[in-house]
Amino acid sequence: MVMGSENLILRIDGLQSEEDRMDVKRALEDVAGVKWVCVDGEAGTAVVIFDPERTPQDNLINVVMEMGYAVKRFFSG
């Protein structure tokens, strides 16, 4: 893990297409402190590596929820 980074895995319900997957990826990448994002549309998950001193986990979850998706914290560490 990169120093000053945390991993967050989100479960995202409602990803229907490649376009949905890319929209979520871009939205998360635009959040300050986000270093890396991978969204798996088939699994309905997003892995985010971010700097918790710049962005709390709740900000990342809220970005996706504001797009209209149901989101749950799957794992963080």
Side-chain angles (χ1 to χ4, degrees):
M1 190 178 334
V2 179
M3 193 66 140
S5 295
E6 283 187 13
N7 293 345
L8 176 64
I9 301 175
L10 301 175
R11 176 88 178 106
I12 303 171
D13 293 330
L15 293 174
Q16 302 286 323
S17 66
E18 178 67 10
E19 186 177 338
D20 290 350
R21 186 186 77 77
M22 291 303 296
D23 286 347
V24 169
K25 182 177 184 338
R26 278 191 291 268
L28 288 167
E29 287 173 339
D30 284 346
V31 176
V34 170
K35 299 176 180 184
W36 184 82
V37 177
C38 180
V39 179
D40 184 330
E42 286 186 32
T45 57
V47 179
V48 185
I49 298 175
F50 67 102
D51 180 347
E53 292 184 14
R54 294 189 63 201
T55 301
Q57 287 184 11
D58 287 347
N59 284 12
L60 301 169
I61 293 167
N62 289 339
V63 162
V64 180
M65 288 178 70
E66 286 170 8
M67 297 176 75
Y69 298 102
V71 181
K72 296 180 199 136
R73 235 180 232 103
F74 193 67
F75 172 83
S76 63

